[in-house]
Amino acid sequence: MAEATAIAQQFTEYYYSTFDTNRSGLQPLYRETSVLTWEGAAIQGGKAIVDKLVSLPFTSVQHRVSTQDAQPVGDMLVIAVTGQLLIDGEQNPQFFTQTFVLRRDDAGFYVQNDFFRLVYG
Amino acid sequence: MSDPLRAHIEIAATAADQFMNVYYNLHDTKREFLGRLYRDSSAILWNGNAYSGVKPFSEFIEKLPKSEHTVECYDAHPLPTADPNGAASLILNVSGTVQYKNEKSKRVFSQCFVLSMEGTSGTFYIWSDCFRFV
């Protein structure tokens, strides 16, 4: 469990810092079989996923992770994240929840499933 | 996206929808039965606290004040199986609000379930559960 937490921590740090500086750099984290459900819309495959992320209509974004929980499930690792998003220098953060399912292949860890939702109070 | 995947996601969403209605209905109106959806092998994290086994978790959950959950949105994907017995699995993410009887305002929550089907029964049990207030 401690190992799961350590992997999750490294992964989310890398993921969000890459997202916040250069979204196209996320592509190696996905595979052809990866599926992202972004605000309810399902997208499959690394290229389509990254195209979607790159096309999101903001200039700058900053993720701040509030909580992350990691649980091994079979040969996968489920990471549930909650946090805040600061978009285009806005002072008022939006809240988000994101879940990653990580798997491993010869090239290392990758995102098999990804879910992103903005959360409203 | 491929048609088979789209079809699988729709099936997952329907199964998830049914499960979700049962789950929150039990949580809100028949809390004493909620434990039946878990197994002793279930991995449970409730707002950062880990519970191991149905009994300790049931004891905890039954002490929570009366709840009323409102699901705002949910997403589900089929998963290559989590269960070593090869049963179908799915991952379900829910977000919404919950009003506890002793509190003035609603809280926002996010919950992630991995569900696994028990043999050929057609019923899901909770393989893992991660609940957080947002």
Side-chain angles (χ1 to χ4, degrees):
Chain A
M1 190 50 143
E3 203 200 300
T5 308
I7 294 169
Q9 180 83 34
Q10 281 183 349
F11 170 79
T12 55
E13 272 172 19
Y14 181 75
Y15 182 90
Y16 292 117
S17 69
T18 306
F19 193 110
D20 294 350
T21 54
N22 173 31
R23 280 166 266 162
S24 54
L26 291 171
Q27 181 132 7
L29 292 177
Y30 296 95
R31 299 285 180 270
E32 268 318 291
T33 53
S34 301
V35 186
L36 161 66
T37 294
W38 180 273
E39 283 284 284
I43 301 156
Q44 184 183 20
K47 186 169 187 314
I49 289 170
V50 175
D51 283 349
K52 168 70 184 175
L53 298 179
V54 165
S55 75
L56 291 171
F58 43 73
T59 318
S60 75
V61 66
Q62 202 183 84
H63 287 81
R64 286 193 196 147
V65 171
S66 304
T67 65
Q68 53 184 322
D69 294 308
Q71 285 181 324
V73 173
D75 66 348
M76 301 173 284
L77 181 61
V78 177
I79 306 174
V81 180
T82 69
Q84 297 180 350
L85 271 181
L86 285 166
I87 294 178
D88 287 334
E90 275 246 9
Q91 298 283 43
N92 296 324
Q94 297 199 44
F95 293 88
F96 75 91
T97 165
Q98 185 155 19
T99 301
F100 299 100
V101 178
L102 300 190
R103 292 191 92 183
R104 215 176 198 169
D105 63 11
D106 293 335
F109 279 104
Y110 68 93
V111 179
Q112 172 58 39
N113 304 82
D114 183 351
F115 300 82
F116 178 89
R117 281 277 187 184
L118 291 170
V119 178
Y120 305 97
Chain B
M1 168 181 305
S2 69
D3 286 334
L5 176 65
R6 196 178 290 285
H8 282 133
I9 288 183
E10 278 174 22
I11 292 170
T14 307
D17 189 80
Q18 290 177 347
F19 169 82
M20 210 174 57
N21 289 327
V22 169
Y23 184 87
Y24 293 110
N25 184 49
L26 287 180
H27 197 298
D28 294 345
T29 63
K30 294 186 189 70
R31 183 91 54 86
E32 66 274 24
F33 294 119
L34 193 64
R36 294 191 185 181
L37 296 175
Y38 295 85
R39 298 289 174 270
D40 280 328
S41 53
S42 305
I44 305 165
L45 273 173
W46 200 93
N47 211 41
N49 299 312
Y51 290 91
S52 195
V54 176
K55 197 158 178 297
F57 181 66
S58 296
E59 282 171 1
F60 162 72
I61 209 86
E62 279 174 45
K63 292 204 187 88
L64 286 180
K66 182 142 172 62
S67 60
E68 198 181 309
H69 289 80
T70 305
V71 171
E72 290 294 334
C73 51
Y74 67 95
D75 298 306
H77 288 172
L79 273 186
T81 184
D83 191 315
N85 295 319
S89 294
L90 65 94
I91 180 165
L92 165 63
N93 281 287
V94 184
S95 54
T97 55
V98 56
Q99 176 73 62
Y100 292 107
K101 188 164 179 227
N102 64 338
E103 294 187 340
K104 232 178 172 179
S105 15
K106 289 194 222 187
R107 294 182 183 229
V108 179
F109 76 90
S110 173
Q111 190 157 17
C112 175
F113 296 99
V114 174
L115 305 179
S116 201
M117 191 172 287
E118 211 136 46
T120 50
S121 68
T123 59
F124 281 110
Y125 71 94
I126 297 169
W127 182 265
S128 84
D129 177 3
C130 180
F131 177 90
R132 276 280 184 185
F133 293 117
V134 179

